[in-house]
Amino acid sequence: MRNKYKILISGGGTGGHIFPALSIANALRRRLNVDILFVGADNRMEMERVPAAGYPIKGLPVAGFNRRNLLKNISVLIKLRKSIAMARRIVDDFQPDIAIGVGGYCSGPTLKAAQRRGVPTLLQEQNSYAGVTNKLLSKHASAICVAYNDMERFFPADKIVLTGNPIRKDLLEHTMSQAEAAKRFGLTGTRKTLLVIGGSLGALTINESLEAGLRTLVDEGYQVIWQTGKSFLTRAQAAAKGLQGVVVTPFIADMAAAYAAATLVVSRAGAGSISELEVLAKPVILVPSPNVAEDHQTKNARALESRGAAVLIPDAEARQRLVAEASRLLADNAALQQMSRNIAGLALRDSDEKIVDEIIKILTAKQK
């Protein structure tokens, strides 16, 4: 093995891409002497989160295609062309030993530029239904790390490695009991608690469903930790006014405590969230976002529902069903325990280390 390796990591747009990328970077630092450079999309959350984690990042102006207004894609194509040129310059300047793609708009131009320069690439596909970018890149990738079985539908079978999705280490390292975690939020440790998370930006359907049914949950004796996102905060605060045992917050900084406090979770069905719920064995109601490519969140949720590991409520049905279903489950200890066992059985642990194992194999083979 060489003394030092240059590693290029590209992807982002959402926490579901950024957190796995940072987990992989941190695992690489623990095991190898590395110089890591991230490539993200301008004006997306990785441009703040990655430097905050101690890594340099370069931004591309790339943006996603607008499927509803095709005329708006003229500017998208101009940005893509510029991003391709910038990605080539980044690869030429940095001279990476390997490039890793974790999904997101920017991973396409970056990984393609690396492949054209003969740089080995590794893809990390988080979802049960592969994205278009990774499918296009897979032909020339050295390895494809996945979190679900049966991914041969999308990728060359001989390149697939089942690793799972890396999750944040702080979620695993806490020692809090459910009662201790509840007290951190000013709640009572002996009462069942519903944790509602819609992602860093919130989720309008989930928020409006809870807004309408919050008093019902409180009247039934349940506590609620409600992560709203910034745009819904004022409405949520109004809905919670005068109610005991309700925490309303736009963003949860201590997710380890929030998960530990939760008896039941309501969540979108992003791959990163699902991987966290699996490892933590948390019963969950999944409300897939309808506004994602290839409706992959519904496919993620179905993979759990079919194994009795989650309850799936379509976004269009959430306003009618979500609170009633949460209330039913919170009252059914046997159902909660069975869901916990089922979702824990799907967990793939130490995913970051398994992905680094594959990276080391590629780097070793490159030297021969």
Side-chain angles (χ1 to χ4, degrees):
M1 299 288 289
R2 280 229 314 267
N3 288 334
K4 193 167 191 176
Y5 292 93
K6 289 188 173 184
I7 313 289
L8 193 66
I9 301 177
S10 184
T14 67
H17 294 309
I18 297 166
F19 293 134
L22 290 172
S23 294
I24 294 167
N26 292 337
L28 281 164
R29 270 187 174 175
R30 289 194 299 269
R31 295 178 58 181
L32 295 174
N33 186 8
V34 290
D35 183 5
I36 296 175
L37 175 65
F38 278 79
V39 179
D42 280 337
N43 301 315
R44 300 304 294 261
M45 61 190 297
E46 59 265 28
M47 301 307 292
E48 294 181 4
R49 296 291 179 85
V50 170
Y55 295 98
I57 186 169
K58 292 184 178 294
L60 302 180
V62 65
F65 282 95
N66 190 316
R67 291 173 171 80
R68 296 179 181 176
N69 188 337
L70 296 180
L71 288 177
K72 289 186 177 180
N73 288 323
I74 295 173
S75 64
V76 173
L77 290 171
I78 293 171
K79 290 178 179 178
L80 177 61
R81 185 174 180 180
K82 184 177 180 180
S83 296
I84 290 170
M86 291 174 65
R88 288 174 180 169
R89 287 196 294 272
I90 290 170
V91 171
D92 288 343
D93 292 343
F94 188 61
Q95 293 287 303
D97 294 293
I98 188 171
I100 300 161
V102 297
Y105 304 139
C106 58
S107 64
T110 308
L111 272 287
K112 178 56 70 175
Q115 289 177 344
R116 286 179 173 170
R117 295 294 192 267
V119 177
T121 57
L122 179 142
L123 306 179
Q124 202 255 323
E125 174 58 62
Q126 289 112 19
N127 294 294
S128 62
Y129 193 91
V132 172
T133 299
N134 275 351
K135 284 189 280 188
L136 292 172
L137 292 168
S138 65
K139 182 178 179 182
H140 299 292
S142 299
I144 305 156
C145 296
V146 301
Y148 294 87
N149 290 307
D150 304 320
M151 297 300 285
E152 295 84 359
R153 295 173 294 159
F154 310 108
F155 303 129
D158 61 332
K159 297 182 179 182
I160 295 173
V161 184
L162 184 63
T163 61
N165 289 321
I167 70 170
R168 291 168 279 185
K169 286 290 186 186
D170 63 301
L171 299 182
L172 300 173
E173 293 172 349
H174 77 84
T175 57
M176 290 173 284
S177 67
Q178 187 168 8
E180 290 169 337
K183 288 177 182 177
R184 290 198 180 190
F185 290 91
L187 299 175
T188 302
T190 55
R191 292 170 60 192
K192 290 181 178 178
T193 301
L194 179 69
L195 170 64
V196 181
I197 47 177
S200 56
L201 301 177
L204 182 61
T205 304
I206 293 176
N207 282 335
E208 289 186 344
S209 302
L210 197 64
E211 179 185 41
L214 185 62
R215 183 172 293 276
T216 298
L217 291 166
V218 172
D219 287 346
E220 291 175 349
Y222 304 122
Q223 301 178 136
V224 179
I225 301 172
W226 184 5
Q227 181 257 304
T228 64
K230 290 181 180 179
S231 62
F232 203 85
L233 179 62
T234 302
R235 283 176 63 177
Q237 288 171 332
K241 189 174 181 179
L243 298 181
Q244 297 297 313
V246 178
V247 175
V248 174
T249 178
F251 179 77
I252 298 174
D254 191 351
M255 279 304 302
Y259 279 133
T263 310
L264 175 68
V265 179
V266 172
S267 175
R268 287 304 199 190
S273 296
I274 286 176
S275 294
E276 292 174 354
L277 292 160
E278 288 173 346
V279 170
L280 298 173
K282 285 295 172 180
V284 62
I285 299 173
L286 295 172
V287 185
S289 171
N291 305 312
V292 294
E294 289 95 25
D295 195 25
H296 67 256
Q297 286 203 7
T298 296
K299 297 175 177 71
N300 291 346
R302 283 179 181 156
L304 271 69
E305 181 191 43
S306 66
R307 293 166 174 83
V311 170
L312 190 166
I313 297 181
D315 189 83
E317 300 176 18
R319 290 177 178 85
Q320 291 73 42
R321 294 180 52 199
L322 179 57
V323 169
E325 190 67 20
S327 180
R328 181 189 70 80
L329 284 170
L330 285 166
D332 190 340
N333 289 330
L336 290 170
Q337 290 167 8
Q338 187 61 56
M339 286 178 66
S340 179
R341 287 192 292 269
N342 291 346
I343 197 169
L346 301 177
L348 294 169
R349 300 176 183 276
D350 301 319
S351 299
D352 53 353
E353 298 293 341
K354 293 173 183 174
I355 292 169
V356 172
D357 287 343
E358 297 305 312
I359 294 169
I360 290 173
K361 288 178 186 177
I362 294 168
L363 291 172
T364 302
K366 182 183 175 183
Q367 289 180 266
K368 292 182 178 178

